[in-house]
Amino acid sequence: MWLLLLVNLASKVAAILVVGAAPGAALGLWLLGDALVAYHVFVPRAQGLARMHRRFTTARREVWLTIDDGPDPQDTPQILALLAAHGAHATFFVIGENAGRHPALIRAITAAGHEVAHHTHTHPLVWFWCATPGRVTRELDTALATLRATGVTPTRFRPPAGIKNLWLASALRARGLTGIGWSARGLERWPGDASVVATRVLRGLSPGAILLLHEGPAVPAGIRVEAIRLVLERLDEQGYHCVVPGAEQLED
Ligand SMILES: [Zn+2]
């Protein structure tokens, strides 16, 4: 992170130095540093501000199915039934507020042998990129307290839409949380039906992929749960198993 900020500062200094001789170049230099920081904040695969693992090591036909934004009283029980029917394991990146409303669902997820992970307390999609250290602390610690009250201590974290900020890496480190990204996502709100979503998330499928799908009311009707059902069926057809990898398996 400090290297990024240093490069940003250097671009500002360079812009000031050349502004008299070449105003156009100065403007370009001024914006260059900001563009670099923005890239590492908003682009999910960028690792400059906080590391988000995007694959795992495996010699078998295994993938990691991750389901964000729950728990949801309508979807989670259906998803748990599907996972059981397919002998699949998954990680649920849950929102703290939802967990507080439905603690029994958190206990049902863990009782079924799946992992519960941290996806912030309020899912602050709009302002997470510019959150102050205090707000980052509240997002992390309120959800941690909520989950601990259900008997879960998460070790993995995924920010909303993969957006990072300047304080995230140190805040995660202080709480023993590992950042997890994805190698493919369903993008359920993009055009298409459940089959299109399943095709999108399974495109370029290979062992060690981290697949991202969502549950809850933000997923369009007709895609809710159905996309996950199709993904599980197609993984079965291709001989893939859904596993939750250990810490030592995580890759960039
Ligand atoms: Zn989310």
Side-chain angles (χ1 to χ4, degrees):
M1 177 184 95
W2 296 112
L3 182 62
L4 259 182
L5 295 181
L6 203 63
V7 170
N8 192 18
L9 183 65
S11 84
K12 299 282 186 283
V13 172
I16 291 166
L17 289 176
V18 305
V19 69
L27 180 63
L29 280 168
W30 188 272
L31 296 176
L32 184 68
D34 294 335
L36 190 65
V37 173
Y39 171 79
H40 285 279
V41 167
F42 292 108
V43 176
R45 69 173 173 274
Q47 305 277 348
L49 283 177
R51 188 177 184 192
M52 296 288 146
H53 296 279
R54 298 173 60 228
R55 297 194 62 82
F56 67 97
T57 303
T58 179
R60 294 191 272 267
R61 286 169 87 80
E62 293 175 336
V63 294
W64 184 7
L65 178 60
T66 64
I67 300 163
D68 286 13
D69 294 358
D72 177 81
Q74 180 180 319
D75 293 4
T76 307
Q78 295 181 62
I79 294 167
L80 289 176
L82 282 172
L83 293 170
H86 287 269
H89 288 96
T91 296
F92 290 74
F93 283 86
V94 301
I95 297 170
E97 280 184 339
N98 292 345
R101 277 186 217 111
H102 308 292
L105 290 177
I106 299 296
R107 286 190 281 271
I109 292 169
T110 55
H114 307 293
E115 180 183 33
V116 170
H118 193 313
H119 194 42
T120 70
H121 192 65
T122 66
H123 207 267
L125 198 55
V126 175
W127 56 259
F128 196 65
W129 68 276
C130 63
T132 61
R135 290 187 88 166
V136 171
T137 294
R138 282 199 295 281
E139 280 297 326
L140 294 181
D141 288 349
T142 313
L144 279 173
T146 303
L147 290 173
R148 282 186 185 130
T150 70
V152 171
T153 299
T155 60
R156 286 151 175 188
F157 172 85
R158 175 178 285 152
I163 295 169
K164 299 146 198 114
N165 60 51
L166 295 178
W167 325 111
L168 184 59
S170 59
L172 293 181
R173 211 165 28 244
R175 291 159 181 81
L177 290 165
T178 301
I180 304 295
W182 59 84
S183 45
R185 56 178 164 169
L187 295 166
E188 289 95 328
R189 287 199 266 181
W190 282 25
D193 57 15
S195 177
V196 171
V197 170
T199 302
R200 199 180 280 142
V201 80
L202 295 175
R203 187 180 300 145
L205 181 66
S206 62
I210 302 176
L211 309 180
L212 165 57
L213 289 158
H214 293 84
E215 60 176 318
V219 180
I223 293 177
R224 279 178 88 163
V225 183
E226 182 63 11
I228 293 171
R229 186 181 70 77
L230 287 177
V231 166
L232 288 168
E233 280 180 7
R234 293 183 191 180
L235 287 171
D236 273 357
E237 286 163 12
Q238 297 182 50
Y240 275 89
H241 294 287
C242 293
V243 299
V244 175
E248 72 290 350
Q249 291 176 271
L250 300 178
E251 297 176 14
D252 286 340

